[in-house]
Amino acid sequence: MNRRRQPAGIALLMTLLIVTLLTILVVEFTYTTQVEAHLTRNSLSLLQARYLARGGLALAELLLKMDFVEKTQNPPTRPNVESLLDPWAQPFPPRPIGEGVGDVSFRIDDESARFNLNSLAMRPGVSPVTLEARKTLFQGVLASLGLDLNLLFPLLDWLDADEEVSGKSGSEREYYEALTPPYAPRNGRLLNVEELQLVRGFGDLSREQWRALRSMVTVMPNEELQINVNTASEALLGALFTAVDDAAGAKAIVSLRETKPFADPRELNEIPGWTQIPQQVRSFFTLHSFYFTIHAAGTAAEVSRGIAALERRSGLRLELLDWKDEAANVSLTSPPSDGMRLLPPTSR
């Protein structure tokens, strides 16, 4: 009897095995199909998000051009006088584009509202008196953030072309080549603000310190220092004016420009203590802005992409100077990123 039932039992086991294998194959095939479909949708959303971000960039560029045209056609408004009341200075919150394609947003930052780190580079035509005044102002920025004033000296050595150490904390090629891993100093203009973290001492800043410093400084493709009093933050103005013993000047500027931005350099004489500030320092302040960074973001489905473009405006002409991808899930009223990255460990 047992011999007759054995084939039936084997057949049942084989049937169950085959059904199990088929079930596994069907489940695996269904899962693979779903994954591929998801990847396809994600790739499409990624492409759409990128083009939406570029669309935001195009809208921002159009706004900058329209701003110039409006000021040119409506005198006595000065074409090159920029303020935080201008349309370009207002953030463009996420708005739908097309029929359910996605959202676009952008923000335009005035780079003249920050201290240009490259202005600390000694170049032909820059007098020692001018350079010393710039050093004083930058140390005012450091002091306002509670940072070591001696951070100035390694930055000077990073910017200059010689191998002579500045001050007690300065650092030239010998210091950087002794690090692990070793690298060479720029000995020239910074290419971007993030490069500052390679300079001795700046890589040791906490994320909060770096974020605060990042909001006050910038990197221009030149060694000029022109800070727009109409757009600079109260924190930066306070740091700069405190450095020249005129702390009340910053508050007066912010108070005056809230209702009526400065339109003529002579109006700056209304600022308390302005005429007592050395002329060399007063020359660093302006009402004009030519460099702007556009932070644009695009979102399609649940995928977001952002771009940052540095542009120079000359009349109706916009010249693209730098372009990089950045996080898109950022506030439109604050810097898009602290720009902090993890540097390789060093031996100091």
Side-chain angles (χ1 to χ4, degrees), residues 191-192 194 293-294 308-311 319-324:
L191 299 183
N192 51 58
E194 288 68 37
T293 296
I294 300 172
L310 173 63
E311 305 203 20
E319 178 184 2
L320 180 64
L321 302 176
D322 189 30
W323 173 297
K324 64 181 179 181

Side-chain angles (χ1 to χ4, degrees), residues 197-236:
Q197 294 174 70
L198 294 173
V199 180
R200 181 180 184 180
F202 287 95
D204 297 328
L205 301 184
S206 68
R207 189 171 294 276
E208 291 70 24
Q209 289 173 325
W210 174 256
R211 185 180 292 110
L213 179 62
R214 178 67 180 84
S215 69
M216 290 192 183
V217 301
T218 187
V219 166
M220 299 279 205
N222 55 51
E223 291 84 23
E224 298 176 0
L225 181 60
Q226 291 287 281
I227 300 173
N228 191 333
V229 297
N230 279 330
T231 59
S233 68
E234 183 174 0
L236 177 61

